[in-house]
Amino acid sequence: MTLNANVQTNNKVYLSIGTNLGDRQTNIDKALSLIRERVGLISAVSSVIETEPVGFNSNNKFLNCVICVYTALTPLELLHTTQDIERTMGRLVKSRNGVYSDRIIDIDILLYSDVRIDTPELKIPHPRMQERDFVLKPLKEIL
């Protein structure tokens, strides 16, 4: 979906982006480009920070940032679009039996306007964002 000036983009969304494989900065830049193309107007991008993996062991450090996007997509459409962006970039599996691993890209929905959703497929606000400094620090920077 390519957005144009006639599309309402009044849903304010915060997304977390992380990567620890390959050319990490290029991965973030590619994700930002695909988000602009398929999701909506990016109004803010936090600083990119380097962090240790959380929830699993790896020698590969992450680059993380948080962005603010205005979108016309519904929360479920946004989830499916971000998952499609991840697949487009080469990420085929989110986790295996709840265990995380290295990833070329990870895009998480943190907040979606004032919406609260708690379904097996989608939880907004993100249920673990309060536990993750790699999310909270960049998020606070652009709130």
Side-chain angles (χ1 to χ4, degrees):
M1 170 181 181
T2 300
L3 298 176
N4 60 46
N6 297 325
V7 175
Q8 289 284 7
T9 56
N10 56 353
N11 300 304
K12 188 176 187 178
V13 175
Y14 290 89
L15 303 175
S16 173
I17 302 172
T19 173
N20 78 330
L21 290 177
D23 184 335
R24 299 171 302 161
Q25 187 59 57
T26 297
N27 295 343
I28 288 176
D29 293 342
K30 175 74 172 175
L32 292 174
S33 177
L34 290 169
I35 289 167
R36 280 186 194 96
E37 178 184 313
R38 300 180 189 183
V39 175
L41 174 69
I42 297 175
S43 65
V45 179
S46 75
S47 300
V48 175
I49 60 173
E50 188 173 56
T51 62
E52 296 292 334
V54 173
F56 70 101
N57 293 322
S58 175
N59 293 328
N60 303 315
K61 291 185 178 181
F62 275 84
L63 288 186
N64 297 94
C65 68
V66 171
I67 65 172
C68 179
V69 184
Y70 286 88
T71 188
L73 300 177
T74 67
L76 205 51
E77 289 171 335
L78 177 61
L79 174 66
H80 295 154
T81 300
T82 57
Q83 289 175 338
D84 185 58
I85 290 169
E86 289 176 340
R87 282 189 297 276
T88 296
M89 292 184 62
R91 183 170 185 197
L92 304 179
V93 178
K94 284 293 256 186
S95 65
R96 297 183 198 279
N97 299 321
V99 176
Y100 298 115
S101 61
D102 292 323
R103 59 205 78 150
I104 193 162
I105 198 71
D106 184 39
I107 305 169
D108 288 333
I109 303 169
L110 303 176
L111 301 166
Y112 183 104
S113 297
D114 60 355
V115 171
R116 293 191 172 282
I117 298 174
D118 189 359
T119 67
E121 186 174 13
L122 179 60
K123 295 183 186 329
I124 299 175
H126 191 286
R128 290 175 302 286
M129 80 178 177
Q130 295 295 333
E131 305 163 8
R132 297 175 171 173
D133 281 345
F134 67 86
V135 169
L136 292 179
K137 287 180 181 178
L139 179 60
K140 288 178 184 176
E141 181 182 320
I142 64 171
L143 275 177

